[in-house]
Amino acid sequence: MPTIVIIGAGPAGMRAAETISRAGLVPILIDEAPRAGGQGYRTPASGISIDTHKLMGSQSKKYQQLHHDFLSIVSSIDYRPETLVWAIENNTLFTLSHNTIATIQFDCLIVASGATDRVYPMPGWTLPGVFTLGGMQLSLKDQGCAIGKKVVLFGSSPLLPLVALQYKNLGVEIAAICDTTGFAGKISALPSMVFSPGTFLRGLSYLASLTLSRTPLFFGVKPLSIEGDHRVRGIRFLTGSGQEKWIECDGVGLGYGLKPETQIADLAGAVFEPDEDLGLWLPRMDQDGRAGKNLYLAGDGAAIGGADAAEASGKLAALAALSSLGVYCDAKQQTRLQNTVRRLRAFQRGLARAFAPPQQFAETLADETVICRCEAIHAGTIRKALALSHTPPEMNRVKAITRCGMGRCQGRMCAPALQAMIIHHANQSLAQTGRLRGQAPIKPIPLSAAGETAP
Amino acid sequence: MTSSTETIIIGGGLVGVWAAYFLARRGRKVLLLEKGFIGAQSSGVNFGNLRLQGRHPDQYPLSLRSQGIWEQLPELIGDSCEYDRTGHLYCAFNSDEAEKLTAYAAVSRSHDLQIENLDRVSIKQRFPYIGKKVIAATFSARDAVANPRLATPATARAAQAYGAVMIENCEATQIEASDKGFEVHTQHGETWSCLYVINSAGAWAANIAKQFGEDVPAFAAGPPQFVTEPVPYRIVPSIQTIDGSVIARQIPRGNVILAGYPRTASDLAANRAPVPPRKTVAGMAALSEVIPSLRSCHVIRVWSGIEAYLPDMIPIIGPSETTPGLFHAFGFCGHGYQIGPGVGLCLSEWICDGQTPTPLEAFGIGRYRTTIAVSEKFKSEFDAGGANA
Ligand SMILES: Cc1cc2nc3c(=O)[nH]c(=O)nc-3n(C[C@H](O)[C@H](O)[C@H](O)COP(=O)(O)OP(=O)(O)OC[C@H]3O[C@@H](n4cnc5c(N)ncnc54)[C@H](O)[C@@H]3O)c2cc1C
């Protein structure tokens, strides 16, 4: 029996596990988190009672179905929660679980590692009370906590209206929604959105219901600063018409769309290509998610597509893996899933275009702004380094010279900002700018996990 | 069209840029070609140790001369590159190793280096974070560290200020000797003529030597390294165990860096130096035995580099024996960062003065015309089966 390992127990990984289990194999499903569901379909921490039905809104049915289906197979798979994959060497995964390092051999690997928020810093973004949009959603879904009593959502992301609605439904005051893109840009992204009218309407209904309940909405804003002494006191920005505006709040949600978490795919040998449109380096894969020999990518970790695409692409990757291993084949369903995934990802691509990163970010950002939180590297330091000869405008070289991206998170947070600054400085393409290479450990691992002597 | 210069340096690592610096400072015309970016290979990724104790006996004159350059960086290139005279603590786990330490210390002292012998009690007093497994140590105060990511680019800038010309992303693809000197062809189709060529192409240099009939058994490898998250700054000197399991230092911002043995083969063609995870785990275990208080701290990143090693574990430095005007400087076996500036200086003297005052006979390429004895150090630094593991 071949060993299929799935990394990531979100909708993509859960559906992949289910598909493989139904074909009669016992997949190993690994996730760092203690409970299945990933980020979007997260299960609340034990002892926390949340009205998930209300929280998930129109997604509630799918949420319940996914967890219900997973429960029916979880006892017949090898499910390993609270397990971090920190390195990959050939066909061996190195894991860390409860402070113990172990290895797993695989014949086939499905990576469903999800996405993370894309953040562009602004002065004050490291103050307590500032969260990413995804992070503020998680504090609700996991702990039933809001990030403040009066919250401003800022950035350019389909999550802006969604999170606003979730917070509002639970009684939190949304002081403002500030979108750095203009309304016109959104309309021009419409053609690709009609691929999935259902999702499109859902998107509009967020805006509609927010508008109806008189939440201040600003389009085409420019960030100035988040201010406060020990925590957020308010946010300052320029409105679309260029007026300075100050809004008091005790929480800020910041985000500019999502970016795939590709470190595992990188260590597993995926090849990356620049997507100049989205400003992201994405793993190369075929329509089944195949990114290498016995390597499949699914869900938002492969290409941002949202929850529905995650479920479909998880099933699809599993089917493709099963058929190439000669275990099971359902060509018809495979074709159907390929179409679904293609359609949903095309829609998300349209959304991503409608919520583009802030223009002039790199040009206008104040020198004192922290870019790399882990290493405390400021925008001015990066600018100064770039101005010297022998600082080639390439991500890894600028990282080496400035330390930006060298810390605990390995550039997950600061890479988009660093990339924007280099592109602006050298007036060059993303392809020329390069990308931070993935390095083990994917997340920090304690020395004590090595035990007294080597394994 | 062919342009001309006096000296062409192949390779913009630390050795190449220091040779360019000293030549340009003496008013000589020099062109440096770098196939990638200046200081992005071994010179830019190494551990940063400027260790003096425990070096090969024949290397002390060069080594001390080079340390003199490191000690004057601000005066020479206008940048300290985080040079820090931290000292170096060489540690033994048992009495055999302690004896080795004594022997190394005798060599160091014969070159006027101040070495202190420390027993368990004085180790505990002066370096309380060192674990019980270390029973004896020697401390050398002149040993230092400097930031490898900064040193080569900073030297390159200083060399350029003196008139050196440097071209990046420009591989020297072919070098032809003629009776008038050399013609160097680049990947972009240009041809340069010159009187002297310095082969400081790092792990790629052996291929160049071979084209001139000088075949040496060099191979590419690197020590597996890692860095931890920052923790309060306490460990000032570099800490090295004589069995090679731990070479560690903490930088003032708090991160602890580790380089360990055994070395790992790296891929010259793909330009990759993967770190086997098992070696990371072995390094983590070894470090927490030598400095137990680090057990709770986290490793955040691993890396290695592409360095040329030779079976006798000492570099090749000096004139070619087949081709007048050609000079080799490569195969630094993991310790070229410390001597890099000194090597650059000696190369410039060879070209400008026809000789160097530093004794370098032991490092001539001619030694590879006869069979070379494999050094004990070589055997212990690699996995069984050599660099393939
Ligand atoms: C991980 C690691 C840790 C180390 N730690 C230490 C330490 O603590 N202390 C110490 O003293 N030493 C250390 N070393 C060794 C030290 O880094 C090297 O010996 C030293 O940097 C060698 O410098 P170099 O200029 O010869 O080589 P390199 O820095 O490798 O430079 C050679 C350059 O030549 C270029 N090149 C090659 N072929 C061509 C061509 N045909 N045309 C144009 N350009 C070309 C390459 O791209 C490269 O940039 C370490 C090495 C490694 C890998």
Side-chain angles (χ1 to χ4, degrees), chain B residues 10-16 33-50 55 170-173 200-205 208 221-223 225 259 303-307 309 329-330 332-339:
Chain B
I10 319 269
L14 192 66
V15 172
L33 301 177
E34 166 53 54
K35 71 174 169 60
F37 293 125
I38 299 235
Q41 296 296 340
S42 261
S43 300
V45 301
N46 67 61
F47 177 83
N49 224 2
L50 307 175
R55 296 194 84 91
C170 185
E171 181 177 348
T173 45
S200 56
W204 296 264
I208 295 175
Q225 303 198 130
W303 78 101
S304 184
I306 307 178
E307 169 83 344
Y309 287 81
F330 66 91
F332 287 99
C333 307
H335 58 256
Y337 186 60
Q338 193 276 324
I339 54 177

